[in-house]
Amino acid sequence: MATAPVSRRLASVRRDGGSLPPSQLWRPPVSNAQLAILIFIAFETMIFAGLLVSYWVLESNSFGWPPADMPRLPLAVTWVNTAMLLFSTWTMSRAVAAVRSGSAAGVRAALVATAVLGVGFLAVQGSEWVRLVGQGLTLSSGSYGSIFYTLIGLHGLHVVGAVIWLLAVLGIAQSGNFVAQRLAGVQLCAMYWYFVCALWVVLFVVVYLD
């Protein structure tokens, strides 16, 4: 019977007073930490969904969107910036793979590359904001300016938070504390990083390409 091996193992545990080896213990498919991150990501998704609905309402009630007197958004440089952020998802995946294989040097290299790409994304976006503000697109320049900076600015803050988290993980990795048995730190950071990158793709399509 299928239950016989289980019964024998339990009987052995009762006789020896020990416990089952870790490989035979049941583990949930998602850890508590991963579940917490997923709940947080769901909460953040609802916030941005509400802001996107506001964006579409403002756009549908406008005679011209963006308004004719507002500067055009920089498409070419934003395409490059988007590609850079999307490439960072690959470098982050390499960090997770390096942890699983026990390669400390690979973890550090992949995390450094991801951090550089994230900081580069923020630097390019910041320089474009300076240019747009100089051309008259500010928070006070009507509903278009306010919703633009609210959506894109809030995402920028999320990228800043993700980069800070990434640098903290990198600091731990520098001490060599990440091995295959302690994957959670890199994995949780990767989950949030993937979310931030996917969110940017949605914002880029809606705000820049629509």
Side-chain angles (χ1 to χ4, degrees):
M1 295 177 63
T3 58
V6 176
S7 300
R8 284 197 294 270
R9 287 199 299 269
L10 291 177
S12 176
V13 169
R14 285 194 292 268
R15 286 196 304 270
D16 300 338
S19 59
L20 292 174
S23 61
Q24 296 182 10
L25 294 176
W26 180 84
R27 292 185 179 87
V30 178
S31 67
N32 290 338
Q34 289 174 321
L35 182 60
I37 291 296
L38 290 173
I39 292 174
F40 179 72
I41 288 174
F43 173 73
E44 294 286 283
T45 301
M46 288 188 289
I47 292 176
F48 277 95
L51 290 173
L52 286 171
V53 169
S54 299
Y55 181 90
W56 283 319
V57 169
L58 291 172
E59 181 181 18
S60 62
N61 292 331
S62 174
F63 291 107
W65 196 266
D69 58 341
M70 291 289 102
R72 303 300 95 176
L73 299 179
L75 276 182
V77 69
T78 307
W79 268 112
V80 175
N81 216 22
T82 300
M84 184 164 59
L85 191 63
L86 290 179
F87 185 69
S88 73
T89 63
W90 181 81
T91 58
M92 179 59 88
S93 70
R94 299 313 304 159
V96 176
V99 173
R100 287 176 175 152
S101 64
S103 173
V107 173
R108 290 192 292 269
L111 290 178
V112 168
T114 306
V116 169
L117 290 169
V119 171
F121 173 84
L122 291 171
V124 172
Q125 193 171 72
S127 67
E128 290 304 313
W129 280 21
V130 171
R131 188 181 68 83
L132 289 172
V133 169
Q135 294 177 350
L137 181 59
T138 65
L139 272 171
S140 59
S141 57
S143 58
Y144 178 72
S146 62
I147 193 63
F148 171 80
Y149 285 111
T150 299
L151 268 173
I152 306 303
L154 186 58
H155 176 267
L157 288 177
H158 280 67
V159 177
V160 170
V163 168
I164 293 173
W165 188 358
L166 182 62
L167 293 176
V169 172
L170 178 59
I172 299 174
Q174 293 287 5
S175 64
N177 287 335
F178 281 127
V179 293
Q181 291 76 22
R182 299 182 63 183
L183 177 64
V186 175
Q187 194 173 52
L188 295 176
C189 184
M191 289 172 64
Y192 188 69
W193 191 268
Y194 297 150
F195 164 70
V196 169
C197 294
L199 179 60
W200 173 252
V201 173
V202 175
L203 295 179
F204 177 58
V205 171
V206 172
V207 177
Y208 285 82
L209 300 182
D210 187 16

